[in-house]
Amino acid sequence: MSLAERQLVEIVKGVASSPRVLILDEPTSSLTIRETRELFRIVGRLVEKGTAVVYISHKLGEIFSVATRVTVLRDGRKVATAPVGEWSEAKLVGAMVGRDLSALYPRTFSAAGEARLEVAGLAACRT
């Protein structure tokens, strides 16, 4: 079986026992977009039935799609907990890394200059 198939089997095994609490740690790391959507659908059904789902991920889009409440841990310690609606991506990243990243990487703009590289006739080579 592929890595994705093994991942799905493990998720199905966890769901099949009708758990009261299900912990998913980076469950989509090897899943396709279609498989991820199906996982989110399953998680939604479990939550509707009263199952508590702990969803651990560094993929922020997934957190905003599936979570109702977010807890940020850093170095094994709880940093913050709030409903997902109270988080922005910037606030969440700041809590994860421990500082505001906007000051670290300020937005700068440069005027377009002379071309440094030009490519013509580029084709993909498939082997």
Side-chain angles (χ1 to χ4, degrees), residues 99-108:
R99 64 184 178 276
D100 180 17
L101 295 183
S102 63
L104 185 60
Y105 299 105
R107 203 173 263 224
T108 59

Side-chain angles (χ1 to χ4, degrees), residues 29-86:
S29 61
S30 61
L31 302 183
T32 65
I33 292 170
R34 191 182 99 245
E35 293 162 340
T36 298
R37 283 191 200 122
E38 180 63 17
L39 174 64
F40 288 174
R41 191 179 65 73
I42 291 167
V43 167
R45 282 200 335 245
L46 289 169
V47 169
E48 286 174 4
K49 292 179 181 179
T51 303
V53 178
V54 177
Y55 192 95
I56 302 163
S57 181
H58 287 89
K59 296 180 180 179
L60 301 186
E62 291 181 7
I63 298 300
F64 288 107
S65 294
V66 76
T68 56
R69 186 166 198 74
V70 176
T71 296
V72 175
L73 302 175
R74 188 174 58 249
D75 298 327
R77 296 176 191 240
K78 180 178 139 186
V79 174
T81 298
V84 72
E86 293 181 17

